[in-house]
Amino acid sequence: MAQARKRRAAAIPAPLKNALSLHRAGRLGEAERGYRATLAAHPSHPQALHGLGTLYYQLGRLEAARDCLAEAVTRKARLHGAWYELGNVRRDLGDVAGAITAYRRALQHAPDFAPAHCALARLRDGSDPAAEAAEAKALGQLHARSKAGTLERRDLAWGLAAIAERAGDVEATLAHLAEAHAVDAARQPFDVAGAGRYFDALAGALDADAIAGRAADGGSGSELPIFVFGLPRSGTTLVEQVLDSHSAVHGAGELRLIGDLCGDLERRARQPFNVAFGRLSAADRRGIAGTYLKALQSRAPLARRVVDKMPANFLALPLLACLFPKARFIHCRRDALATCWSLYRTRFDEPHRYANDPAQLGAYWRLYDDYMKRMGELLGDRLYSVAYEELVASPEPVINALLAHCGLEPEPACLAPEQNPRPVTTASTLQVRRPIHGGAVEGHRPFTDALPALREALEGAA
């Protein structure tokens, strides 16, 4: 076995080894060049296609990712990881049947591959009871054999939680979720007090006069950006889907542009990014605004509005208000318990450390809520709120009011966002394929009633 692994490693071309290393380090641009160099010298190399397809998926280039991964498994059918990634891509493109097929092919070649078991369990909807029962049995057996506290055990617990939730088994659902979250909490603990100090520093960095002055000298007059934000699972994907259904709007998804800017500011200044931003010159601010607008325009040159739907951009509101005084800022809100339950039950591609413990999750929601109240005082009516419960109860008036706020005329397509075929790469990729409905408004009750630590942390919250 060891000798076979050595032979396989030796067979990997040097450019591909380098690309894989760069990819693991998050240097995606360099990794892409490495994969392409490999494919130039070794056309249709399956591992290079797999790596490039996975990279494209991370970048949100779903059609390109699908093509690369499909070619990879055509060239080498036993690449179970490529089948798994192909399943993820098909799921986000709305091809549920194709995703199920890909996950099952991954398990055909690697029966103990936990991520595919988890993905398949979370994708099922009860429409194929015999197949789902067999899959659940296999998942349960693998979970019983796995080692407690491992990432494999975590992934399997996520899958079992999804099966238990569909069956309405509250106790089993919460037990499996607690096990999955405990693995991540042990690896990446969350500091609520530290988060509170950070939020306070960000909120207090710039007052209303400072924002107005910087917007007048260094801000852009462009009306192109629409920022949609809030906690994850608060309706941000639905709001973006509604807006993208308008003929004048392009939904660009969860862009990392502002997050990368904020991270760079903090690394350079070793201060919270809103503080560091306040010390930039007008020329620097104009440069940042121009670079961001070019990035938006490159995604949709003909659009009148482009939506940046990164939920965490709520933390950067003082910065964004300086850069784009004519942008629209859409805050998505949802009932506190419903939001927190949805966060707790959802397996995200990237960790949300605050969601691993119910009490900490409730405390984080309060930090967010206090921060947004301060932003409301700071920005006034520039901050437009959309309540999820109102949107699903009365779609037409809420959607038309949202469009009017964005300077857009009503269009019928915005009232049927489920018919929009655009790729969706967030945790709501399946939900937005369905007509707007209120089924999720009260669905949390049986589960949150059994989470006293969360209810206590959110007592009195709306």
Side-chain angles (χ1 to χ4, degrees):
M1 183 72 73
Q3 290 297 323
R5 282 198 297 269
K6 288 181 180 179
R7 285 195 298 272
R8 286 196 297 270
I12 298 176
L16 178 56
K17 289 182 182 179
N18 187 48
L20 292 168
S21 177
L22 291 166
H23 196 166
R24 285 191 293 270
R27 296 160 64 178
L28 302 187
E30 295 169 85
E32 180 180 0
R33 289 192 288 275
Y35 290 132
R36 288 189 169 281
T38 302
L39 290 168
H42 306 273
S44 301
H45 192 290
Q47 283 86 359
L49 288 165
H50 179 189
L52 186 59
T54 301
L55 185 149
Y56 284 153
Y57 178 62
Q58 291 175 276
L59 293 175
R61 297 170 59 183
L62 297 189
E63 290 84 358
R66 178 192 57 203
D67 294 344
C68 284
L69 292 165
E71 180 68 12
V73 295
T74 298
R75 297 290 174 178
K76 192 172 184 179
R78 65 178 182 272
L79 280 178
H80 66 276
W83 278 114
Y84 169 69
E85 295 292 355
L86 181 59
N88 292 338
V89 172
R90 288 175 173 174
R91 177 199 63 202
D92 290 355
L93 286 168
D95 179 10
V96 174
I100 289 172
T101 297
Y103 293 141
R104 297 188 75 174
R105 289 297 298 273
L107 292 173
Q108 177 184 334
H109 297 290
D112 292 350
F113 187 48
H117 277 287
C118 173
L120 192 55
R122 296 183 68 79
L123 193 59
R124 288 298 198 178
D125 60 3
S127 60
D128 189 351
E132 293 176 39
E135 291 161 5
K137 182 179 179 180
L139 196 159
Q141 292 172 341
L142 185 56
H143 177 265
R145 297 196 306 269
S146 62
K147 184 178 179 181
T150 62
L151 295 180
E152 177 191 31
R153 182 71 164 249
R154 176 201 65 185
D155 290 345
L156 296 168
W158 274 115
L160 288 172
I163 292 169
E165 185 179 355
R166 276 199 301 275
D169 188 336
V170 173
E171 183 178 356
T173 301
L174 296 181
H176 291 309
L177 288 175
E179 180 180 32
H181 281 298
V183 176
D184 284 333
R187 294 165 61 87
Q188 293 184 311
F190 181 69
D191 178 8
V192 174
R197 292 190 294 271
Y198 184 62
F199 275 40
D200 191 56
L202 290 177
L206 296 165
D207 61 22
D209 289 339
I211 290 174
R214 285 164 176 76
D217 184 16
S220 167
S222 174
E223 295 187 58
L224 183 67
I226 297 176
F227 295 99
V228 174
F229 48 84
L231 283 186
R233 314 302 297 155
S234 62
T236 55
T237 300
L238 176 56
V239 168
E240 183 190 28
Q241 188 82 342
V242 166
L243 290 169
D244 181 84
S245 299
H246 196 282
S247 61
V249 179
H250 172 72
E254 296 185 352
L255 299 178
R256 298 177 182 271
L257 301 171
I258 299 301
D260 289 346
L261 164 65
C262 294
D264 185 59
L265 286 171
E266 291 194 342
R267 283 189 295 272
R268 291 173 181 269
R270 298 187 178 182
Q271 294 177 309
F273 58 81
N274 284 338
V275 177
F277 176 82
R279 296 175 178 170
L280 295 179
S281 69
D284 286 338
R285 296 194 299 273
R286 279 191 289 272
I288 290 169
T291 298
Y292 178 82
L293 290 172
K294 286 180 182 177
L296 291 193
Q297 290 163 346
S298 71
R299 286 163 168 80
L302 301 180
R304 284 169 48 200
R305 303 281 188 272
V306 176
V307 181
D308 181 340
K309 191 211 76 76
M310 178 57 78
N313 280 345
F314 76 87
L315 291 169
L317 280 170
L319 177 157
L320 295 172
C322 293
L323 291 176
F324 305 108
K326 293 188 177 182
R328 270 62 171 189
F329 299 111
I330 313 299
H331 176 210
C332 295
R333 289 188 59 90
R334 188 180 179 187
D335 172 81
L337 276 170
T339 301
C340 289
W341 166 245
S342 195
L343 281 162
Y344 190 65
R345 68 176 289 276
T346 299
R347 185 191 183 200
F348 294 95
D349 291 335
E350 296 184 3
H352 292 262
R353 291 183 295 156
Y354 58 84
N356 286 324
D357 175 83
Q360 289 189 337
L361 175 54
Y364 185 86
W365 187 93
R366 287 198 176 278
L367 291 177
Y368 143 80
D369 188 52
D370 289 343
Y371 186 90
M372 290 309 303
K373 286 175 181 174
R374 294 177 69 173
M375 292 301 100
E377 295 169 359
L378 196 62
L379 301 181
D381 59 8
R382 292 186 62 192
L383 190 60
Y384 187 86
S385 291
V386 175
Y388 174 81
E389 291 78 11
E390 294 176 6
L391 173 58
V392 299
S394 303
E396 186 168 359
V398 174
I399 288 171
N400 287 342
L402 170 65
L403 294 174
H405 175 76
C406 294
L408 301 166
E409 48 289 323
E411 289 187 359
C414 297
L415 302 179
E418 75 280 1
Q419 296 178 16
N420 187 334
R422 64 186 285 265
V424 176
T425 60
T426 73
S428 299
T429 182
L430 299 181
Q431 290 92 324
V432 297
R433 309 293 180 194
R434 303 167 189 152
I436 295 175
H437 65 89
V441 171
E442 297 292 333
H444 67 91
R445 296 289 179 195
F447 302 95
T448 54
D449 285 348
L451 289 171
L454 177 61
R455 297 189 70 88
E456 181 179 347
L458 292 174
E459 186 175 358

